[in-house]
Amino acid sequence: MSYQIIEELNRRYTTKKYDETRRIAPQDLEVALEALRLSASSINSQPWKFIVIESDEAKQRLHDSFANKHQFNQPHAKEASHTILFAYDPHFTKEKYRKRVDVEVSSGHLPPELYDSMLGAYAFAEANTDKNGFNGHWTKAQTYLALGNTLHTLARLGIDSTTMEGVDPELIGELFKEELDGYVCEVALAMGYYKEGEDFNHGRPKARMPAEDVIVVL
Ligand SMILES: Cc1cc2nc3c(=O)[nH]c(=O)nc-3n(C[C@H](O)[C@H](O)[C@H](O)COP(=O)(O)O)c2cc1C
């Protein structure tokens, strides 16, 4: 298959070593962050917050968050150009959803007379909410859509990246308490450019299950 989209997805890979001298150009970063914002989510809930680690001070904090575990990912904190913390809202309430429905109307996407019917779609969130108001399983799932969208966008921009579930949500929660404001980060995405000659993962073929094992066309 020689489609450009397939070539780009074959070229994207998980970077294991970054070139600390290379930084993402501001206009490329802007595109990546706009793609992130445009990500789809169930009932357009957008129950997420994306914290972009850019400054040396923030990189130091991210670096420190690997003190207890997953040290194999720690070098990316400083060597990658940027890292995005994908955070979900563990208690996504109907009041919070109302703000999204407000934007549905103010953007011109939703006719005002359909406001209440769209607000009723919160039932999808309710069905995933426990008696303590926790719906983090469902909101976390939404952040992975944004993650996938970003992975593809970065591939198109020729920017390398590393998805990291190997982070310490507890320490990140402490060190970025103010910015997270109650949201929870359990996955992060380092971005930048691989280091020539030092990234064992660069240039290797894709390792995926054959289509007949994972795709069923009826
Ligand atoms: C949700 C998720 C979490 C991951 N966590 C890590 C991680 O902590 N560290 C790492 O080096 N790679 C991590 N990876 C990378 C995967 O191992 C990688 O995507 C997979 O082997 C496929 O290879 P490719 O990304 O190079 O195509 C993660 C990937 C995903 C999607």
Side-chain angles (χ1 to χ4, degrees):
M1 233 187 271
S2 68
Y3 284 97
Q4 194 182 347
I5 189 168
I6 301 300
E7 279 168 22
E8 286 161 353
L9 289 173
N10 267 306
R11 214 178 313 124
R12 77 141 289 285
Y13 77 107
T14 296
T15 300
K16 301 290 182 178
K17 181 76 180 167
Y18 284 89
D19 183 340
E20 67 279 14
T21 66
R22 295 192 65 191
R23 293 294 174 249
I24 298 170
Q27 60 271 28
D28 281 350
L29 184 67
E30 200 181 322
V31 172
L33 298 183
E34 181 61 354
L36 182 62
R37 192 182 71 90
L38 289 172
S39 299
S41 55
S42 177
I43 61 168
N44 207 8
S45 54
Q46 306 162 72
W48 49 45
K49 190 180 261 204
F50 308 113
I51 297 175
V52 183
I53 307 294
E54 181 175 66
S55 67
D56 288 345
E57 183 278 324
K59 284 180 179 175
Q60 183 63 52
R61 263 196 280 165
L62 180 60
H63 186 267
D64 293 346
S65 77
F66 289 99
N68 299 334
K69 49 170 115 157
H70 305 310
Q71 275 101 5
F72 62 96
N73 282 326
Q74 190 174 39
H76 307 327
K78 289 187 179 175
E79 292 169 359
S81 172
H82 291 74
T83 298
I84 303 174
L85 306 183
F86 285 73
Y88 63 87
D89 186 344
H91 299 99
F92 184 69
T93 62
K94 192 166 187 175
E95 276 319 296
K96 291 172 184 170
Y97 184 53
R98 191 180 282 279
K99 284 194 188 166
R100 278 67 176 166
V101 182
D102 289 346
V103 174
E104 283 281 341
V105 172
S106 65
S107 65
H109 183 259
L110 183 78
E113 60 273 20
L114 294 182
Y115 188 98
D116 287 343
S117 120
M118 176 135 191
L119 191 61
Y122 183 77
F124 277 96
E126 237 158 22
N128 288 285
T129 305
D130 72 13
K131 58 182 183 342
N132 301 314
F134 175 82
N135 44 27
H137 300 303
W138 181 79
T139 55
K140 182 179 171 181
Q142 311 309 320
T143 66
Y144 278 77
L145 294 172
L147 173 64
N149 186 29
T150 311
L151 286 178
H152 190 184
T153 302
L154 294 174
R156 299 207 67 178
L157 291 169
I159 296 171
D160 298 322
S161 64
T162 309
T163 305
M164 299 183 290
E165 271 183 338
V167 291
D168 185 338
E170 239 172 75
L171 259 189
I172 287 183
E174 279 174 32
L175 295 169
F176 293 92
K177 190 176 192 317
E178 201 179 311
E179 295 86 356
L180 283 167
D181 194 24
Y183 286 58
V184 179
C185 169
E186 293 176 353
V187 65
L189 182 67
M191 314 181 294
Y193 300 93
Y194 82 101
K195 189 157 191 173
E196 190 84 50
E198 291 190 32
D199 182 359
F200 67 86
N201 216 25
H202 181 259
R204 291 189 171 179
K206 277 272 160 275
R208 296 293 190 264
M209 298 299 284
E212 58 269 28
D213 281 17
V214 294
I215 299 173
V216 181
V217 181
L218 301 175

